[in-house]
Amino acid sequence: MKPDTAENRLIVPLDVDSLADANRIVAQLFNCVRMFKVGKQLFTAAGPPAVKRLIEEKKDVFLDLKFHDIANTVAGAVASATKIGAEMINMHASGGLQMMRAAKETAERIASELDIPPPTLLGVTILTSIDEAAFQRDFGTSRKLRDQVAYLAELSQTAGLNGVVASPLEIGRVREVCGGDFVIVTPGVRPKWARRGDQRRIMTPVEAIAEGADYIVVGRPITASNRPREAANAIIGEIKQAEEG
Ligand code: C5P
């Protein structure tokens, strides 16, 4: 559930639309990266074989489909995700306590039937693409975004989820509210030597790990690099540096 080595704290997203492209990235990073993220783009294009292929290669899969629906439907989706072997699965915490509890119960039941460890279940709080002004306008609230993130993180924990996906700027607040055992997965991470791309609220790997992230998701600085393996190893080096303090 919690990563045991610096290598295992790096998650690389396969943000491509074909199995062939995904396989190419995995082959390039085969010896240095343990967990890959399969999101809506690849899963919609290639389906469960994208996950199964990674599992056959002994890789861990974060299935980033951000489920959000009635409890029965999300429980069914989590059952399917557990059956195909996803190690990490997420859902929108705003789907509510009943939905998250149903997901948790189902994941544990299916894992026990299959005699496999239950997947790590994560809540998605407020998407990092939404800023304070958009949050208050679009959600019709005067609440502060950080307070809503902390509230939804706590709700995820109450439902029995293992952790949340949180932007680097929210790690400290989530740790404060949910404690040290709660898993925090952080995208929006950019090494100093990489382009920011469209990510805005960013931190470096060293900063994100020092703030308390368990896992960091780093995509384009690795996958768009001419030397992806060197880029991944440099980031793993930064994680080690942060661990040594
Ligand atoms: O290439 P880059 O490092 O920006 O990729 C980050 C990955 O994390 C993408 O797959 C993106 O969809 C995902 N993500 C994110 N921010 C969130 C949640 C997921 O950037 N709040």
Side-chain angles (χ1 to χ4, degrees):
M1 207 175 293
K2 286 268 185 177
D4 49 359
T5 64
E7 286 80 4
N8 293 352
R9 298 178 79 166
L10 173 63
I11 303 175
V12 175
L14 299 172
D15 289 329
V16 291
D17 60 10
S18 73
L19 262 184
D21 285 347
N23 290 341
R24 186 181 43 79
I25 297 172
V26 174
Q28 284 167 335
L29 300 173
F30 198 82
N31 293 324
C32 51
V33 175
R34 169 76 178 270
M35 187 180 280
F36 291 91
K37 181 166 87 67
V38 175
K40 289 189 170 92
Q41 184 185 10
L42 179 59
F43 197 79
T44 303
V51 175
K52 287 183 180 154
R53 173 71 201 266
L54 284 161
I55 304 216
E56 279 162 19
E57 306 265 21
K58 305 263 182 290
K59 297 298 176 191
D60 289 338
V61 177
F62 172 12
L63 189 60
D64 177 19
L65 297 180
K66 299 188 180 69
F67 299 134
H68 188 171
D69 213 312
I70 59 171
N72 188 57
T73 301
V74 168
V78 167
S80 298
T82 306
K83 284 179 193 161
I84 59 175
E87 150 74 26
M88 208 176 249
I89 301 166
N90 62 2
M91 66 206 74
H92 278 283
S94 52
L97 204 54
Q98 189 200 10
M99 182 199 84
M100 290 191 282
R101 281 193 169 134
K104 168 77 177 173
E105 281 163 23
T106 304
E108 290 201 332
R109 179 173 51 78
I110 299 289
S112 139
E113 282 168 17
L114 298 176
D115 199 20
I116 55 172
T120 297
L121 298 183
L122 303 174
V124 176
T125 57
I126 301 294
L127 296 172
T128 47
S129 49
I130 297 178
D131 65 14
E132 188 82 49
F135 167 67
Q136 295 190 342
R137 184 193 62 223
D138 297 353
F139 288 69
T141 180
S142 54
R143 202 167 197 185
K144 292 264 177 237
L145 191 154
R146 279 169 67 82
D147 292 338
Q148 184 69 358
V149 168
Y151 174 76
L152 289 171
E154 208 173 359
L155 193 72
S156 305
Q157 192 173 42
T158 304
L161 300 200
N162 306 99
V164 286
V165 182
S167 98
L169 305 184
E170 292 147 10
I171 299 170
R173 184 70 190 280
V174 171
R175 274 270 166 262
E176 221 175 84
V177 174
C178 298
D181 291 339
F182 207 52
V183 175
I184 301 181
V185 176
T186 302
V189 177
R190 285 286 176 275
K192 285 214 175 76
W193 43 265
R195 284 171 190 275
R196 287 166 62 145
D198 50 6
Q199 294 283 11
R200 286 292 169 267
R201 300 162 72 218
I202 52 176
M203 278 190 191
T204 65
V206 175
E207 289 165 342
I209 296 290
E211 272 293 303
D214 294 301
Y215 295 88
I216 56 174
V217 180
V218 188
R220 287 161 293 177
I222 298 172
T223 54
S225 154
N226 292 332
R227 297 165 175 246
R229 188 175 317 178
E230 282 83 347
N233 281 327
I235 291 165
I236 291 164
E238 290 193 39
I239 296 174
K240 285 185 181 147
Q241 186 192 327
E243 284 176 343
E244 284 155 12

